[in-house]
Amino acid sequence: MGFAVMSLTDAAAGRVKSIVENAGGDALGIRVGIKKGGCAGMEYAVDLVTEPNPKDDLIEHAGAKVWVAPEAVLYLLGTQMDFEVTTLRSGFTFHNPNQTSACGCGESVELKPADLAALAERGDAVVRAN
């Protein structure tokens, strides 16, 4: 037993399943990570998964599969991944308690590693079912 890295809303799960269905072939789900870039220093990275990395954490919700890159785990603990459609854009959003700031355009963020003790106290950490 341990912490689930992050959670998915029903909207995010629906979009992940749609992406996988539309990709066809060997697509199994998506992989979420972080990379350096943008004004604030970091960006979320979302890629299609055809062959899972055994070191990635797997999050499953409503039939959707999302793998989390190991280097992103401490920055994504307690995060809720959502999918929203607005007048100007549609895309995944990340409600991340480890985010300290974001650039004005919303494309990049500043993240700090998660405080595991604080997550446990608040009850944000969900126990992973094995």
Side-chain angles (χ1 to χ4, degrees):
M1 297 279 196
F3 293 116
V5 176
M6 58 185 236
S7 62
L8 302 175
T9 64
D10 291 342
R15 182 60 180 147
V16 169
K17 289 192 300 188
S18 176
I19 289 169
V20 169
E21 289 167 7
N22 290 333
D26 299 331
L28 301 173
I30 64 169
R31 184 176 199 243
V32 175
I34 55 170
K35 63 182 181 178
K36 292 186 179 195
C39 321
M42 297 180 129
E43 298 174 339
Y44 295 104
V46 178
D47 298 299
L48 196 61
V49 171
T50 55
E51 188 173 321
N53 180 337
K55 294 181 180 179
D56 287 356
D57 278 276
L58 173 62
I59 310 300
E60 293 183 272
H61 177 72
K65 294 182 178 183
V66 175
W67 282 269
V68 179
E71 64 276 6
V73 168
L74 279 178
Y75 296 98
L76 295 178
L77 275 171
T79 297
Q80 181 186 59
M81 183 176 168
D82 195 7
F83 181 78
E84 68 179 18
V85 177
T86 67
T87 305
L88 300 176
R89 72 176 287 277
S90 64
F92 290 110
T93 59
F94 297 88
H95 305 283
N96 188 339
N98 309 305
Q99 181 176 318
T100 56
S101 68
C103 69
C105 67
E107 293 297 318
S108 65
V109 294
E110 183 177 343
L111 301 172
K112 63 178 174 63
D115 179 345
L116 296 179
L119 281 173
E121 284 176 17
R122 287 196 320 252
D124 290 347
V126 179
V127 176
R128 180 186 306 139
N130 290 335

